[in-house]
Amino acid sequence: SWQNAENFLKPLEASAGEDYTKVVFALRKQQFLELLARAEDRPELPELVQVLKGLESLCSQAEFKELCFFLTLSNIRDHADYRHWTAAKGRYDTFRAMLSILHPLYGSIPTESTESDAKPRLLLLLE
């Protein structure tokens, strides 16, 4: 669930500061877009506005206006920047955005490594 994802990120709040805010914004924006994209059971306007209000303090005025603009569209894909958007692609893009924000805080991004690669990193962490 979205709340579980935010709870997972919560420990970063103290150490990541502004970056934490950016990551939470990316997550909540994706949640909002997915709510808008639900064709059959799209939430009523008050619920969408409530989710939108949760985004306002996390983003710039321009970003917030763009999100408000989505409420005027009958389909999220009517927006030129989201013509090819899908929930899966949005989640992938959100993950990549979050990764690029958090990467400077945590160093290298894990890749396939050998045991010899992991050992020096472990030693560095223990020092």
Side-chain angles (χ1 to χ4, degrees):
S1 79
W2 296 107
Q3 190 57 51
N4 287 344
E6 279 198 47
N7 290 343
F8 179 78
L9 296 169
K10 191 72 172 159
L12 301 175
E13 187 173 18
S15 62
E18 187 177 318
D19 289 329
Y20 171 79
T21 301
K22 290 176 185 177
V23 168
V24 171
F25 171 70
L27 190 66
R28 289 186 187 174
K29 178 181 176 184
Q30 178 64 22
Q31 177 189 14
F32 178 69
L33 295 175
E34 286 189 31
L35 285 173
L36 287 174
R38 292 183 357 200
E40 301 83 37
D41 61 341
R42 184 175 179 172
E44 296 294 320
L45 188 60
E47 183 182 345
L48 292 170
V49 169
Q50 182 180 354
V51 174
L52 196 55
K53 284 183 179 181
L55 287 160
E56 188 172 13
S57 65
L58 302 173
C59 62
S60 70
Q61 190 173 21
E63 289 170 316
F64 186 71
K65 283 183 179 182
E66 180 182 46
L67 293 173
C68 289
F69 176 70
F70 280 111
L71 293 176
T72 68
L73 303 175
S74 59
N75 187 321
I76 190 173
R77 289 171 201 83
D78 292 342
H79 189 293
D81 295 340
Y82 291 82
R83 185 158 287 124
H84 302 289
W85 185 90
T86 64
K89 182 180 180 323
R91 287 183 180 201
Y92 176 77
D93 291 344
T94 299
F95 171 76
R96 298 297 301 172
M98 292 168 66
L99 192 60
S100 71
I101 293 166
L102 296 174
H103 173 76
L105 295 172
Y106 296 101
S108 65
I109 298 170
T111 58
E112 291 183 38
S113 63
T114 64
E115 188 177 322
S116 63
D117 292 338
K119 195 172 186 180
R121 178 144 170 86
L122 178 59
L123 293 174
L124 287 173
L125 292 171
L126 293 173
E127 290 179 355

